[in-house]
Amino acid sequence: MARTYEVRTFGCQMNVHDSERLTGLLEEAGYVAAPANAQADVVVFNTCAVRENADNKLYGNLGHLAPVKARTPGMQIAVGGCLAQKDRGEITRKAPWVDVVFGTHNIGSLPALLERARVNDEAQVEILESLEVFPSTLPTRRESAYAAWVSVSVGCNNTCTFCIVPALRGKEKDRRPGDVLAEVRALVAEGVSEVTLLGQNVNAYGVEFGDRQAFSKLLRACGEVEGLERVRFTSPHPAEFTDDVIVAMAETPNVMPQLHMPLQSGSDRVLKAMRRSYRREKYLGIIDRVRAAIPDAAITTDIIVGFPGETEEDFVQTLQVVAAARFSGAFTFQYSIRPGTPAATLPDQVPADVVQDRYERLVELVNDIAWEENKSLVGTTVELMVAEGEGRKDAATHRLSGRGPDNRLVHFDPTPFGDRAAARDERRVEIRPGDMVTVEITRAAPHHLVADGGVLAVRRTRSGDAWEARTAAPSAPVVGLGMPAVGAPA
Ligand code: SF4
């Protein structure tokens, strides 16, 4: 009987990307995914060291699994990701029922470490200080049939004082453009029509091989890939956001009018304390140039409130930048001390009630602006890539959901446009996740749009075919770059 596995992922897109490799590695080693709600033989935690008091979350989960493991012969638990890279042997000291601890630089070692722990009946802790192989070259099982993450670099050369990433993911390492494009073409050949280029500092791409324009060249090269409908990227750093990238975005049709650019704070004094190498004027200048070149661009951001030393005046400056930038959305965080970061020992930690108050005022402003921006789209038509899963339902309408070119989420009525009879008896147009539908926006909410008039047009795509094929044959082969698919002809 094949052993079953479950991978639990915490944190950022880079971890989602790496978890697709962990599942690919396990399936290539003969494991199969555990059925939903069934206890897996192997449970893998791909951890985060930043978000949501990550430590408590991990040790809490491990605590719950201890009695399960005690009564399940042969069960194994593995911990990887940023918290493993940070805590190392501390994890098996605190949770001696853990079998394997591996780091961010050696995710490829998981199957071998599980086997060694089983044979030697002894916990295996293996943490490397630098990257073993680019995770992108490892076998992968992608979550989506029509969209994919493509890592262009790992690590980061910046030293933001609140961030632990450089300590855990190391200095920036760039993949060769040819390798990135080969992966993109291979994905499109499998039916993928949307790729998101991924890097801690995606627009610094090329710094390792000395080409400051490598990222804009990569965007343009993605524009040449036949069948690739949508290109997105995350996360750029304002300090490295150069005009050649804006021009490449504007001139390359399949690069989507959407930009996620972390601001973190609107106060130059706080940006200096965060060691963010840009100031508010430069940040707003980039926003203006992006909007001039791409008028319909949706811009989102990350903001931290309550950074040590932040005054009311600093916070007001953040609100001013938010008001000027008119973000379509923002990930907002209350500053919390992250052990091992320079900011953790800074004086003037802001009291929790003050942080909470500022957080609520910021979220209110962000939501008001996002809603106003969404309201301005009512009456426009948009082509959506249909997403997996049902959309927002209410008594009257069973909706599906999809994303527009600007990545806004739209819940839409899947009946033929204007066909009230069909709407009454819920006759839907024949669409699949990955297909494209054109709809008219009829209503706006702060975090999504609604199209209740029905579907104006349907474009069935190769991604829809890929989704259908995958749904029909869930045990689709594991695909690795440059390696024959398991079970597929070499
Ligand atoms: S740019 Fe700053 S916040 Fe982003 S990963 Fe690098 S150090 Fe962390």
Side-chain angles (χ1 to χ4, degrees):
M1 275 286 290
R3 301 184 74 213
T4 61
Y5 73 84
E6 178 198 355
V7 175
R8 301 185 190 179
T9 306
F10 301 88
C12 66
Q13 288 93 349
M14 197 56 90
N15 262 12
V16 174
H17 171 275
D18 289 357
S19 285
E20 293 185 338
R21 269 67 196 174
L22 292 171
T23 52
L25 285 160
L26 290 168
E27 294 203 356
E28 188 185 63
Y31 295 81
V32 294
N37 308 322
Q39 181 51 57
D41 298 319
V42 174
V43 178
V44 182
F45 291 91
N46 189 9
T47 63
C48 167
V50 170
R51 298 192 182 157
E52 310 114 36
N53 57 45
D55 304 45
N56 305 341
K57 205 164 204 171
L58 173 66
Y59 292 109
N61 276 290
L62 291 175
H64 286 131
L65 277 182
V68 177
K69 186 177 178 207
R71 62 174 183 269
T72 314
M75 180 181 173
Q76 291 184 294
I77 300 170
V79 178
C82 288
L83 197 54
Q85 185 75 23
K86 180 168 86 66
D87 284 5
R88 304 172 181 229
E90 186 64 9
I91 292 176
T92 48
R93 194 185 65 71
K94 283 185 180 168
W97 53 94
V98 167
D99 302 278
V100 167
V101 178
F102 62 99
T104 55
H105 300 313
N106 61 324
I107 64 174
S109 315
L110 176 62
L113 291 170
L114 284 168
E115 194 52 21
R116 208 186 304 157
R118 203 169 62 78
V119 171
N120 303 349
D121 192 20
E122 187 190 9
Q124 302 294 313
V125 177
E126 187 180 282
I127 304 289
L128 302 186
E129 298 309 330
S130 64
L131 197 62
E132 190 176 47
V133 292
F134 254 108
S136 310
T137 60
L138 298 169
T140 187
R141 162 166 299 291
R142 278 180 293 102
E143 277 186 19
S144 166
Y146 52 87
W149 304 102
V150 175
S151 151
V152 301
S153 64
V154 291
C156 179
N157 294 347
N158 287 315
T159 55
C160 304
T161 53
F162 55 82
C163 183
I164 197 117
V165 170
L168 303 178
R169 294 230 175 221
K171 287 284 181 203
E172 179 163 337
K173 287 207 171 314
D174 295 326
R175 293 177 72 197
R176 306 301 303 179
D179 295 345
V180 175
L181 288 168
E183 181 178 358
V184 171
R185 291 194 193 92
L187 289 165
V188 171
E190 285 166 39
V192 166
S193 48
E194 177 174 304
V195 298
T196 301
L197 304 175
L198 199 53
Q200 309 288 168
N201 246 353
V202 72
N203 57 333
Y205 177 68
V207 68
E208 201 196 12
F209 51 85
D211 181 351
R212 296 305 296 120
Q213 303 225 333
F215 188 61
S216 58
K217 290 175 187 167
L218 185 60
L219 289 178
R220 290 183 186 279
C222 286
E224 310 291 320
V225 178
E226 193 70 30
L228 181 58
E229 301 237 7
R230 294 181 167 191
V231 178
R232 304 185 189 281
F233 56 88
T234 195
S235 285
H237 193 291
E240 278 113 10
F241 211 91
T242 45
D243 287 351
D244 58 305
V245 174
I246 299 175
V247 177
M249 289 178 73
E251 294 180 353
T252 311
N254 68 354
V255 175
M256 296 293 104
Q258 175 241 330
L259 178 64
H260 179 73
M261 190 153 69
L263 168 70
Q264 305 302 8
S265 173
S267 153
D268 287 354
R269 207 179 62 77
V270 173
L271 287 171
K272 187 161 183 267
M274 287 176 164
R275 234 185 271 147
R276 299 283 288 176
S277 47
Y278 58 88
R279 299 293 173 261
R280 51 190 267 150
E281 200 176 329
K282 169 162 182 159
Y283 186 92
L284 288 171
I286 295 169
I287 302 285
D288 292 346
R289 291 197 298 284
V290 167
R291 291 243 159 83
I294 313 164
D296 58 349
I299 301 176
T300 56
T301 193
D302 295 339
I303 300 173
I304 296 174
V305 290
F307 187 78
E310 182 190 71
T311 63
E312 177 60 20
E313 191 199 342
D314 293 321
F315 176 65
V316 168
Q317 290 177 354
T318 296
L319 296 179
Q320 289 165 347
V321 172
V322 168
R326 301 202 61 77
F327 297 116
S328 62
F331 295 97
T332 49
F333 305 93
Q334 300 190 22
Y335 175 78
S336 57
I337 291 183
R338 291 153 192 182
T341 62
T345 53
L346 281 177
D348 306 327
Q349 299 284 335
V350 182
D353 59 335
V354 175
V355 177
Q356 181 64 34
D357 166 65
R358 289 178 187 165
Y359 181 76
E360 288 166 11
R361 289 155 60 197
L362 174 66
V363 169
E364 190 185 344
L365 178 62
V366 164
N367 287 349
D368 289 351
I369 292 173
W371 199 353
E372 282 163 20
E373 293 292 307
N374 281 354
K375 282 177 186 161
S376 71
L377 297 172
V378 173
T380 62
T381 60
V382 59
E383 188 179 50
L384 307 175
M385 181 178 284
V386 179
E388 290 199 66
E390 291 291 295
R392 190 174 290 265
K393 295 187 190 61
D394 58 29
T397 310
H398 281 273
R399 298 185 186 89
L400 297 179
S401 57
R403 292 201 176 257
D406 63 8
N407 213 28
R408 280 186 167 91
L409 177 63
V410 181
H411 301 296
F412 66 95
D413 164 12
T415 57
F417 185 76
D419 184 337
R420 289 298 94 208
R424 238 191 337 277
D425 43 358
E426 291 191 5
R427 263 182 293 116
R428 295 183 174 188
V429 293
E430 182 53 34
I431 45 177
R432 308 149 307 172
D435 284 339
M436 301 293 222
V437 296
T438 301
V439 297
E440 180 182 321
I441 304 301
T442 55
R443 191 159 53 80
H447 303 299
H448 68 270
L449 298 164
V450 175
D452 268 349
V455 172
L456 288 147
V458 177
R459 192 156 61 81
R460 289 168 70 83
T461 66
R462 296 175 53 259
S463 283
D465 300 343
W467 180 86
E468 204 166 341
R470 177 189 272 215
T471 315
S475 59
V478 170
V479 178
L481 278 192
M483 298 179 340
V486 177

